[in-house]
Amino acid sequence: MDYRVQAGVLGTGSALPSRVLSNSDLERMVDTSDEWITTRTGIKERRIAEANESTSDYATLACQRALESAGVSPDEVDLIVCATVTPDTMFPATASLIQHKLGATRAAAFDLSAACSGFIYALSLASAYIESGRYTKILVVAADLLSRITDYEDRSTCVLFGDGAGAVLLGPADAQKGFLAFDLGSDGSGAEFLIQPAGGSRVPATIESVESRLHFLRMSGQETFKFAVKAMVSATERVLSSAGMDVSDIDLLVPHQANIRIIEAARRKFDLVEEKVMVTIHKYGNTSSSSMAIALDEAVRAGRAKSGDLVVIVGFGGGLTWGAALLRL
Ligand code: UT7
């Protein structure tokens, strides 16, 4: 008996802190300028969570909104996959905390770590579960509070990152709709380019590790930049060609929001008009795993991604990792 069905998007949601950290705020914290940040990154402001909040709070809100938009109740959810590199705690998984807060009593739950590419990895995994017939309702939530691991004394990284969460409810798609192809990849030789050095088994937390600021994110900006442009372009090309499609078929590109110059390089390479590329970086900065999920939710809610549209979601990040998803919405 053939159980295979196509997995599709039943609903989307996102959640962002209300507190804004602007470029002029950062000018008062480190040696930087609104002009440098704007021209080098495209970022004007980002959102920062309050001290008493955690990743699961925003993830839960994003999931609630995705369920509401799908008209599905929490007890119908079979599985919650949370993509994050800033979990509430190293364990238990943040997905288990979300499961409890949502009241998704039937759902299994686990976290997935693929840095900024985590949303695409989680979508790919959840799609395979749906297609296999094992599960019929899966919440994929990408959530990160990067402010928690950002060094606000390091101007080369602290201007980039923000906090947020985005969620998608996946289930069996209507005919001709759903995820048509995925392209995932990793190159661990670049692991040191984007890393939180301490807090794991290699450098457990000690007074020395904290004093050396090793629990903060570190990034080799230029190496990551070069990798990012190549990864975005090649992953998009591969995911389209594996479905027998072309860039000209795309209705909307939803890229990871790391730097407007990376997004623009991809847009120009593909000769896409600006209206076909979703950009949120000016208002949220780089929100890690959640950036593509938030951008997708905003695109759907603003009517920029409509039922039947062909959408490419593409990103890259620590690992190094990359991923692209081809979706008929
Ligand atoms: O989602 C994770 C993936 N991450 C990324 O995709 C990030 C990719 N990389 C980038 O987006 C860019 O490399 C950055 C935005 C991080 C940096 O831009 P850049 O054009 O590559 O600058 P740079 O690192 O080459 O630095 C140029 C200059 C340096 O000064 P000198 O040595 O030329 O005097 C830096 O010290 O800019 C200086 N600089 C700053 N100046 C003012 C670095 N950060 C700042 C700052 N404000 N915030």
Side-chain angles (χ1 to χ4, degrees):
M1 193 175 185
D2 185 10
Y3 289 103
R4 198 179 158 85
V5 289
Q6 197 82 4
V9 171
L10 307 184
T12 65
S14 59
L16 289 134
S18 49
R19 180 149 66 103
V20 172
L21 181 68
S22 68
N23 289 352
S24 51
D25 293 330
L26 283 159
E27 283 176 347
R28 290 188 286 275
M29 295 162 65
V30 286
D31 180 15
T32 191
S33 65
D34 174 46
E35 197 270 333
W36 191 97
I37 302 170
T38 305
T39 54
R40 298 285 181 128
T41 72
I43 302 168
K44 296 300 281 184
E45 57 187 42
R46 62 296 285 142
R47 302 297 180 90
I48 304 293
E50 301 300 331
N52 63 352
E53 296 173 325
S54 59
T55 299
S56 67
D57 295 326
Y58 288 98
T60 302
L61 205 48
C63 286
Q64 281 166 343
R65 289 172 178 161
L67 288 172
E68 272 163 31
S69 77
V72 168
S73 67
D75 59 7
E76 293 176 67
V77 176
D78 299 305
L79 174 67
I80 300 168
V81 184
C82 178
T84 186
V85 291
T86 50
D88 282 30
T89 52
M90 287 302 287
F91 75 91
T94 298
S96 291
L97 308 178
I98 299 165
Q99 182 257 336
H100 178 61
K101 288 181 186 180
L102 274 180
T105 46
R106 288 180 48 251
F110 65 92
D111 288 359
L112 179 154
S113 174
C116 304
S117 314
F119 181 54
I120 306 288
Y121 272 68
L123 287 175
S124 161
L125 184 95
S127 293
Y129 270 128
I130 303 276
E131 287 166 10
S132 75
R134 178 160 302 182
Y135 294 129
T136 55
K137 300 268 186 310
I138 302 180
L139 273 170
V140 167
V141 54
D144 270 310
L145 302 190
L146 267 226
S147 65
R148 299 299 203 253
I149 60 166
T150 294
D151 185 349
Y152 286 97
E153 292 183 11
D154 173 12
R155 70 174 182 173
S156 72
T157 55
C158 75
V159 301
L160 304 175
F161 299 111
D163 300 337
V168 166
L169 182 72
L170 294 196
D174 292 341
Q176 316 297 325
K177 291 189 176 180
F179 287 96
L180 308 177
F182 285 95
D183 181 74
L184 303 180
S186 174
D187 177 5
S189 70
E192 301 291 326
F193 291 155
L194 195 41
I195 188 169
Q196 181 186 7
S201 63
R202 197 202 301 176
V203 186
T206 59
I207 289 168
E208 292 73 29
S209 72
V210 172
E211 282 175 353
S212 306
R213 311 183 80 74
L214 293 174
H215 297 266
F216 291 125
L217 172 159
R218 291 188 180 181
M219 182 174 73
S220 306
Q222 289 191 0
E223 281 81 357
T224 311
F225 191 103
K226 282 182 228 146
F227 156 76
V229 175
K230 278 193 221 135
M232 290 250 291
V233 168
S234 56
T236 301
E237 286 173 346
R238 275 193 303 270
V239 85
L240 283 165
S241 76
S242 66
M245 291 183 179
D246 188 70
V247 176
S248 61
D249 295 314
I250 298 178
D251 293 302
L252 189 71
L253 185 75
V254 181
H256 175 44
Q257 309 284 315
N259 188 318
I260 194 68
R261 290 186 290 139
I262 297 172
I263 297 172
E264 273 295 297
R267 187 184 72 76
R268 281 197 296 270
K269 164 81 184 160
F270 294 138
D271 202 17
L272 290 171
V273 293
E274 286 183 6
E275 291 68 34
K276 287 196 172 188
V277 180
M278 199 61 199
V279 174
T280 60
I281 190 167
H282 52 295
K283 46 186 185 174
Y284 305 140
N286 179 348
T287 59
S288 185
S289 69
S290 71
S291 92
M292 290 173 276
I294 294 168
L296 178 66
D297 179 51
E298 292 207 352
V300 169
R301 285 172 195 267
R304 288 187 61 184
K306 298 176 293 301
S307 177
D309 279 356
L310 191 73
V311 178
V312 171
I313 314 168
V314 59
F316 55 88
L320 298 168
T321 54
W322 63 89
L326 183 66
L327 168 68
R328 179 72 69 188
L329 202 60

